[in-house]
Amino acid sequence: MTIPKHIAIIMDGNGRWAEARGLPKVMGHAQGVEAVRRTVKACLKIGVKYLTLYAFSTENWSRPEREVKALFRLLENFIDWEFKIFHDNKIRLHIIGERERIQKDLLAKMESAEKDTKDYDSLTLNIALSYGGRQEILNAAKILAEGAKNSEINPPDIDEEMFSSKLYTRGQPDPDLLIRTSGEMRISNFLLWQISYAEFYVTETLWPDFDENELNKAIEEYNKRDRRFGK
């Protein structure tokens, strides 16, 4: 069986999971963190090299302040608790998104973890935080425009490879497989450039219930696809 080199996941359904159980939404997010742990371990087990998780979008800032604070507190706890696992398993942590909007103490902690794990190559864990695909593309366009303005870049030389080098995921292969939980059929502004030829897999399973078995189902379906890349 072919294992995707890069898997991206839109983690959806935490709120519905909690609502179905009469619990506050933050409990759904807490269980979602447990699903992250299971998924990271499963990816390590089968040899996935890159895992990108959509944790918090630029649009999510419009959610109630209490929920936003709870989400970031869970993320901070995740980094604190899992730091030993990152080292023991040689996991590289990489945050993608608009860092300037993240509270300074949390950002400092994340960037410290990034620095300490930057040379690890067993698995690269990208956490998309305050992330928006359109914004990422705009940022790359602005960087190239500034380079052209300063005569550092010759506009006719701009190609897909150069453009990709200005994205948050520069130096990484594009996702082979995009998984979305909870049955929703939307991309939700996620990795718009990078998923051009990714295989999509949608499961009705809510994210807090996602586990190794669900991941294997997605990979089995991926192996049934004929990837022609437009050829």
Side-chain angles (χ1 to χ4, degrees):
M1 184 168 67
T2 300
I3 302 299
K5 189 172 186 178
H6 187 168
I7 295 177
I9 305 179
I10 300 174
M11 306 179 293
D12 195 15
N14 292 347
R16 274 168 283 175
W17 185 93
E19 183 180 359
R21 291 160 176 76
L23 299 171
K25 189 176 288 187
V26 67
M27 293 302 297
H29 294 314
Q31 288 301 310
V33 172
E34 293 300 319
V36 169
R37 291 191 177 98
R38 292 193 297 267
T39 304
V40 169
K41 290 177 181 177
C43 285
L44 281 168
K45 179 179 178 181
I46 62 178
V48 174
K49 301 301 292 183
Y50 298 87
L51 174 64
T52 301
L53 302 177
Y54 202 6
F56 190 86
S57 72
T58 51
E59 293 77 18
N60 288 157
W61 287 107
S62 63
R63 292 188 178 188
E65 183 179 359
R66 182 178 179 182
E67 182 182 352
V68 171
K69 286 184 177 179
L71 276 166
F72 280 95
R73 188 162 56 249
L74 285 168
L75 175 61
E76 185 172 7
N77 290 340
F78 173 77
I79 293 173
D80 287 339
W81 294 337
E82 303 304 314
F83 199 63
K84 185 176 186 300
I85 292 177
F86 291 158
H87 285 299
D88 290 347
N89 293 280
K90 306 302 181 186
I91 299 172
R92 178 194 174 204
L93 178 66
H94 182 52
I95 306 299
I96 63 174
E98 298 178 335
R99 299 186 180 217
E100 61 272 14
R101 298 187 69 177
I102 302 172
Q103 61 192 58
K104 291 183 179 179
D105 55 341
L106 174 57
L107 181 61
K109 182 171 292 189
M110 292 190 304
E111 290 183 339
S112 176
E114 284 184 307
K115 182 179 179 181
D116 289 344
T117 63
K118 65 182 177 62
D119 295 324
Y120 293 161
D121 60 2
S122 178
L123 171 68
T124 293
L125 174 60
N126 297 312
I127 297 182
L129 191 64
S130 189
Y131 174 88
R134 287 184 174 182
Q135 189 61 49
E136 180 182 25
I137 291 171
L138 281 173
N139 288 343
K142 289 177 181 178
I143 292 171
L144 292 170
E146 189 67 24
K149 178 183 176 182
N150 297 332
S151 301
E152 298 167 353
I153 295 173
N154 185 18
D157 293 338
I158 298 174
D159 56 13
E160 289 188 14
E161 183 178 357
M162 185 184 293
F163 195 92
S164 294
S165 73
K166 309 305 179 186
L167 299 174
Y168 298 134
T169 55
R170 54 187 168 273
Q172 301 182 21
D174 290 338
D176 303 295
L177 173 63
L178 172 66
I179 299 171
R180 178 157 192 155
T181 59
S182 85
E184 299 292 347
M185 304 292 286
R186 295 188 299 273
I187 297 173
S188 296
N189 199 19
F190 185 47
L191 300 178
L192 299 180
W193 175 277
Q194 296 91 331
I195 61 171
S196 296
Y197 285 102
E199 296 296 324
F200 286 14
Y201 176 84
V202 177
T203 174
E204 295 291 332
T205 300
L206 302 178
W207 176 247
D209 293 325
F210 196 84
D211 56 15
E212 183 178 354
N213 183 53
E214 290 294 329
L215 180 66
N216 288 336
K217 287 180 184 178
I219 294 174
E220 287 172 8
E221 178 61 30
Y222 169 81
N223 274 266
K224 297 176 185 177
R225 309 282 178 85
D226 181 15
R227 304 189 75 202
R228 296 188 296 272
F229 299 95
K231 298 178 183 177

